[in-house]
């Protein structure tokens, strides 16, 4: 049975380009589902019209055409794609989705791509693929390919890029079944874990401990987008447990560092009733880019040049009190089992004796604030007289999570 590639884009302005790509797709033996995301009708007959896309957002396409407001049209059509594309996928209308566009076309189609499940092939050829792609990709597995030249006409470069994009999604679909068949035979319960360079020893040890007991551990780098992605997958129900040792992204969120994960970090497991063991790994630091990029207001603070592009700044007692209040607030949201583990001898590889960020007083301010504000009826607090990277701490955290997962099974 042939597979179908949804081909979405502004057919009203790029009809020739999409007709070419459609022919290439079908020459490889795939079917196509053509979706018009343009404001105006197209000479090419689409399987899903711009009228349907607009209606999915609750707006009539004629209204958009009359307004002649490009920004508003882009917003409405993007909202329509975000609703319509997942619906079409659930109906079995397509197996993967491909699109081409400039800033407008990219902004219209990528919200719908992001709304599709992880694993559904999604490829966007875009004029903005070599810049900051985070607003377009978010926490999804969307693949963006630079268009090199504008998506405007067929020429020796654009046709080459278009064909490569078709080959990319064709390869994803051709090999998808084989890859799934291999992994389905070895499914294990999944655990999410958060890690930073300076908590690596802890997470690697905990990972081995958990894997020896039949779990598979997915590690997320706590660099902002890593925390966001982990939260998103927890919400989607991927995990039986969460080992959130490295919550350093909250330091960046509150202090103004560059690796923040937004105001909803540490909420997903609490809301979804997923057992979680949480700690304060790498909370002794906020992160910035190269040293010269650190805001002037932080002059005189304690810094550590991690590498030429990353500068770390030691958190203060007052900042740690603020961080403690917020983390307590997030953990108190829990609807299930949550344990907060505190490593009393250090929060990272830099926060131990004779290292650059060793600060018992700063750490104690964090611990005291957490214990003051944590709801002990909802959250269990465990203290250990070790640093976060001590193997004993890693094993205790992993074992505690296993106990909670097993208890959660019995309750269900």
């Amino acid at each position: 049975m042939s597979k179908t590639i949804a081909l979405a884009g502004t057919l009203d302005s790029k009809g020739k380009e999409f007709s070419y790509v459609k022919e290439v797709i079908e020459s490889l033996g795939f079917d196509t589902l053509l979706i018009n995301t343009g404001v105006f009708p197209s000479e090419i007959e689409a399987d899903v019209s711009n009228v349907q896309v607009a209606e999915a957002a609750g707006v009539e396409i004629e209204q958009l055409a009359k307004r002649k407001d490009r920004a508003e049209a882009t917003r409405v059509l993007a909202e329509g794609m975000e609703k319509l594309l997942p619906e079409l996928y659930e109906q079995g209308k397509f197996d993967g989705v491909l699109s081409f566009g400039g800033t407008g076309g990219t902004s219209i189609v990528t919200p719908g791509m992001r709304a599709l499940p992880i694993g559904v092939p999604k490829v966007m050829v875009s004029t903005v693929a070599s810049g900051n792609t985070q607003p377009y990709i978010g926490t999804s597995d969307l693949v963006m390919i630079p268009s090199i030249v504008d998506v405007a006409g067929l020429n020796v470069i654009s046709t080459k890029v278009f064909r490569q994009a078709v080959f990319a999604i064709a390869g994803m679909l051709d090999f998808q079944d084989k890859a799934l068949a291999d992994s389905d035979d070895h499914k294990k319960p999944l655990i999410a874990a958060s890690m930073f360079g300076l908590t690596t020893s802890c997470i690697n040890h905990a990972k081995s401990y958990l894997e020896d007991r039949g779990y598979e551990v997915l590690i997320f780098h706590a660099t902002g987008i890593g925390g966001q992605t982990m939260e998103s997958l927890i919400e989607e129900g991927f995990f039986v447990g969460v080992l959130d040792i490295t919550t350093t992204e909250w330091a960046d969120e509150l202090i103004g560092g560059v690796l923040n994960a937004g105001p909803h970090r540490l909420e997903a497991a609490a809301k979804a009733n997923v057992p979680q063991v949480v700690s304060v790994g790498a909370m002794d630091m906020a992160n910035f880019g190269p040293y010269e990029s650190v805001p002037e207001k932080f002059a005189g603070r304690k810094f550590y040049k991690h590498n030429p592009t990353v500068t770390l700044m030691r958190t203060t007692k007052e900042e740690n009190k603020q961080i403690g209040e917020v983390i307590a607030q997030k953990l108190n949201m829990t609807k299930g089992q949550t344990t907060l583990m505190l490593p009393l001898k250090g929060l990272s590889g830099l926060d131990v004796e004779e290292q650059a960020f060793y600060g018992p007083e700063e750490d104690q301010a964090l611990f005291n604030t957490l214990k003051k504000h944590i709801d002990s009826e909802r959250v269990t607090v465990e203290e250990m007289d070790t640093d976060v990277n001590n193997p004993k701490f890693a094993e205790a955290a992993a074992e505690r999570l296993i106990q909670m997962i097993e208890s959660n099974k019995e309750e269900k």
Side-chain angles (χ1 to χ4, degrees):
M1 184 176 178
S2 63
K3 293 187 176 181
T4 300
I5 296 175
L7 187 56
T10 52
L11 304 187
D12 56 349
S13 61
K14 295 178 170 52
K16 184 185 295 186
E17 294 85 345
F18 278 93
S19 292
Y20 172 78
V21 173
K22 183 175 185 291
E23 289 179 9
V24 176
I25 292 172
E26 292 174 351
S27 73
L28 297 178
F30 293 91
D31 294 329
T32 55
L33 178 76
L34 204 56
I35 304 173
N36 183 13
T37 65
V39 175
F40 300 102
S42 168
E43 294 179 2
I44 303 170
E45 186 177 348
D47 301 295
V48 178
S49 70
N50 55 346
V51 174
Q52 291 170 275
V53 176
E55 286 179 344
V59 176
E60 292 183 5
I61 196 72
E62 290 81 4
Q63 295 175 345
L64 290 180
K66 288 178 181 177
R67 292 176 193 169
K68 295 183 180 180
D69 186 335
R70 179 182 173 86
E72 175 64 7
T74 299
R75 184 194 68 76
V76 169
L77 292 167
E79 185 179 323
M81 284 297 285
E82 188 174 11
K83 294 177 181 177
L84 189 59
L85 206 58
E87 290 177 6
L88 293 171
Y89 177 74
E90 286 298 319
Q91 294 166 12
K93 299 290 187 181
F94 67 88
D95 302 284
V97 57
L98 174 63
S99 184
F100 303 78
T103 56
T106 304
S107 298
I108 290 170
V109 179
T110 52
M113 290 180 166
R114 292 196 303 269
L116 294 170
I118 297 290
V120 177
K122 38 188 101 70
V123 177
M124 181 79 219
V125 178
S126 174
T127 58
V128 293
S130 61
N132 176 17
T133 58
Q134 199 277 333
Y136 305 106
I137 295 175
T139 60
S140 75
D141 59 343
L142 160 62
V143 175
M144 290 188 74
I145 297 175
S147 64
I148 309 301
V149 294
D150 198 2
V151 182
L154 300 175
N155 54 61
V156 66
I157 299 226
S158 66
T159 54
K160 190 180 292 292
V161 174
F162 293 166
R163 290 174 70 86
Q164 293 286 60
V166 172
F167 298 155
I169 196 165
M172 294 177 193
L173 290 167
D174 271 343
F175 286 93
Q176 191 179 58
D177 291 339
K178 296 175 185 177
L180 285 174
D182 290 340
S183 63
D184 284 349
D185 291 337
H186 303 93
K187 278 189 173 177
K188 297 177 181 179
L190 293 178
I191 288 174
S194 56
M195 187 173 81
F196 213 49
L198 292 162
T199 60
T200 297
S201 296
C202 173
I203 299 305
N204 282 345
H205 194 86
K207 179 175 182 286
S208 297
Y209 188 93
L210 290 163
E211 288 178 344
D212 287 345
R213 286 151 184 82
Y215 295 91
E216 183 174 352
V217 180
L218 304 189
I219 297 175
F220 297 86
H221 202 182
T223 54
I225 191 62
Q228 290 177 27
T229 303
M230 184 176 78
E231 296 280 319
S232 176
L233 294 180
I234 293 169
E235 287 180 2
E236 291 183 35
F238 273 77
F239 304 108
V240 298
V242 177
L243 190 67
D244 203 351
I245 296 296
T246 314
T247 48
T248 184
E249 288 153 316
W250 261 112
D252 285 61
E253 177 71 19
L254 294 174
I255 296 169
V258 298
L259 301 185
N260 64 83
H264 300 296
R265 179 73 170 87
L266 266 178
E267 291 184 4
K271 291 179 177 179
N273 191 17
V274 177
Q276 61 174 340
V277 171
V278 178
S279 190
V280 285
M283 202 64 82
D284 53 313
M285 63 190 69
N287 298 264
F288 297 95
Y291 183 74
E292 58 273 15
S293 72
V294 177
E296 201 172 308
K297 65 180 179 179
F298 295 120
R301 295 282 296 271
K302 184 182 292 185
F303 294 102
Y304 180 84
K305 295 181 181 179
H306 190 58
N307 59 48
T309 60
V310 176
T311 304
L312 311 178
M313 182 179 76
R314 197 6 165 143
T315 52
T316 65
K317 287 190 286 186
E318 287 305 312
E319 288 167 346
N320 281 343
K321 289 177 183 178
Q322 185 183 6
I323 291 167
E325 290 176 3
V326 173
I327 290 182
Q329 176 190 350
K330 297 298 180 182
L331 297 186
N332 287 343
M333 295 169 60
T334 186
K335 295 179 180 178
Q337 299 187 68
T338 294
T339 295
L340 173 65
M341 296 192 64
L342 302 178
L344 302 182
K345 290 293 182 67
L347 312 182
S348 78
L350 286 179
D351 184 29
V352 291
E353 286 191 61
E354 299 184 2
Q355 292 298 317
F357 283 177
Y358 182 55
E361 292 183 6
E362 291 89 341
D363 294 350
Q364 196 60 51
L366 175 63
F367 300 147
N368 290 344
T369 304
L370 283 165
K371 288 186 287 186
K372 177 181 177 181
H373 292 282
I374 283 289
D375 183 347
S376 59
E377 294 185 3
R378 292 174 176 266
V379 180
T380 301
V381 179
E382 296 183 7
E383 302 176 67
M384 289 191 66
D385 200 28
T386 68
D387 67 272
V388 70
N389 287 313
N390 189 300
K392 292 181 180 179
F393 184 84
E395 288 186 16
E399 181 56 36
R400 177 61 179 149
L401 183 58
I402 291 173
Q403 293 170 1
M404 293 163 64
I405 292 170
E406 293 301 318
S407 174
N408 198 48
K409 283 182 187 176
E410 292 174 5
E411 290 176 7
K412 291 181 178 180

